[in-house]
């Protein structure tokens, strides 16, 4: 669709069901939100995701360290294998190894919409796609539904002002792309753990990424370049 402004609002509106995690139903954080979106909208964004992924894959723009939302990847399994090899080599060669785990607080909910658009511009995504996504984001709304005494109560529509849209077919790829520049910046540093295999050139493992989960490596605790 050339102009996303022509998409009816109801196609972009989600329904977020609040499912209780425990018997403590008086505390809002004790609910797990599950958002359902219109199937037609999800098909539309899935087509856009395919276009964007093809561009990123053809031009080798996605960081190799990221295994989330990457086709033909085993995801966490690949990262666990790399991590186990690093640990085994450090133990075998009696090398120093320092690791840090980074867990973003509410990562998917906190990405600014301005950055989601800007990162598409950084990687030169088709301008028509960027404009379409920008218009769609302006229409993102959801209604909250919670079950109280066997009756469902629904809120008024709530505008999604930041973060990715839960349930959207494009959201995982957009989130990975939003973190992509971070991999580039990390790899520009001198940090990392040197991996060697026989007579092959040493490879430096700086960090591993799976969606918002980051594990970084260093051979020294000295953080000065």
């Amino acid at each position: 669709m050339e102009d996303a402004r022509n998409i009816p609002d109801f196609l972009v509106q989600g329904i977020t069901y609040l499912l209780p995690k425990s018997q403590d139903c008086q505390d809002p954080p004790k609910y797990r939100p599950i958002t359902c979106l219109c199937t037609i909208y999800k098909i539309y964004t899935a087509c856009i995701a395919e276009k964007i992924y093809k561009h990123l894959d053809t031009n080798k723009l996605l960081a190799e360290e990221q295994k989330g939302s990457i086709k033909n990847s085993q995801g966490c399994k690949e990262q666990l294998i790399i991590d186990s090899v690093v640990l085994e080599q450090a133990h075998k060669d009696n090398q120093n190894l320092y690791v840090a785990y980074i867990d973003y607080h509410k990562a998917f909910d906190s990405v600014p919409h301005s950055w989601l658009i800007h990162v598409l511009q950084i990687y030169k995504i088709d301008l028509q796609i960027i404009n379409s996504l920008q218009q769609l984001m302006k229409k993102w709304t959801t209604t909250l539904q919670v079950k109280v005494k066997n009756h469902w109560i629904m809120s008024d529509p709530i505008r999604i002002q930041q973060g990715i849209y839960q349930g959207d077919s494009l959201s995982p790829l957009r989130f990975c792309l939003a973190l992509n520049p971070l991999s580039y910046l990390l790899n520009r540093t001198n940090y990392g753990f040197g991996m060697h295999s026989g007579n092959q050139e040493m490879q430096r493992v700086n960090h591993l990424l799976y969606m918002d989960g980051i594990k970084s490596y260093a051979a020294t605790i000295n953080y000065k370049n």
Side-chain angles (χ1 to χ4, degrees), residues 3-199:
D3 191 347
R5 289 175 296 184
N6 295 326
I7 293 182
D9 291 350
F10 76 87
L11 286 181
V12 190
Q13 183 174 349
I15 300 176
T16 300
Y17 295 94
L18 300 177
L19 306 179
K21 300 179 183 178
S22 65
Q23 299 299 320
D24 183 11
C25 297
Q26 301 299 318
D27 187 5
K30 298 297 183 180
Y31 286 85
R32 177 179 290 107
I34 302 296
T35 301
C36 299
L37 299 178
C38 177
T39 302
I40 297 176
Y41 173 75
K42 295 176 70 173
I43 293 174
Y44 176 62
T45 55
C47 293
I48 295 178
E50 185 66 26
K51 288 286 187 180
I52 294 177
Y53 188 88
K54 184 177 180 180
H55 169 78
L56 298 173
D57 188 51
T58 300
N59 295 284
K60 308 298 181 184
L61 297 175
L62 285 172
E64 292 184 6
E65 290 81 5
Q66 176 66 267
K67 299 302 180 185
S69 192
I70 304 300
K71 294 182 179 180
N72 302 317
S73 169
Q74 294 297 315
C76 282
K77 291 182 180 179
E78 290 189 24
Q79 305 296 49
L80 287 171
I81 291 174
I82 296 172
D83 183 66
S84 64
V85 172
V86 170
L87 296 176
E88 183 178 350
Q89 181 170 307
H91 177 72
K92 179 180 178 181
D93 298 342
N94 197 28
Q95 295 176 277
N96 289 331
L97 175 63
Y98 298 88
V99 299
Y101 298 90
I102 300 174
D103 183 23
Y104 289 100
H105 180 64
K106 294 188 177 297
F108 301 124
D109 300 331
S110 59
V111 183
H113 286 180
S114 57
W115 178 248
L116 290 176
I117 293 298
H118 185 61
V119 78
L120 296 175
Q121 297 168 343
I122 291 175
Y123 294 108
K124 301 186 184 302
I125 304 301
D126 185 271
L127 186 59
Q128 183 174 314
I129 290 179
I130 295 177
N131 291 336
S132 294
L133 293 178
Q134 197 164 22
Q135 294 300 324
L136 287 175
M137 289 165 64
K138 294 178 181 179
K139 295 174 175 283
W140 284 358
T141 59
T142 189
T143 57
L144 302 180
Q145 289 201 20
V146 61
K147 196 173 186 179
V148 178
K149 295 181 179 180
N150 297 322
H151 295 285
W152 285 97
I153 299 176
M154 179 183 294
S155 72
D156 294 330
I158 300 171
R159 172 87 166 85
I160 309 296
Q161 298 183 351
Q162 68 177 24
I164 58 175
Y165 207 2
Q166 187 186 95
D168 192 330
S169 304
L170 183 55
S171 288
L173 181 59
R174 293 191 75 178
F175 183 81
C176 289
L177 197 59
L179 288 186
N180 208 58
L182 177 60
S183 279
Y184 173 76
L185 293 174
L186 289 173
N187 285 326
R188 289 184 61 185
T189 69
N190 295 322
Y191 307 132
F193 182 80
M195 296 286 296
H196 59 79
S197 177
N199 296 324

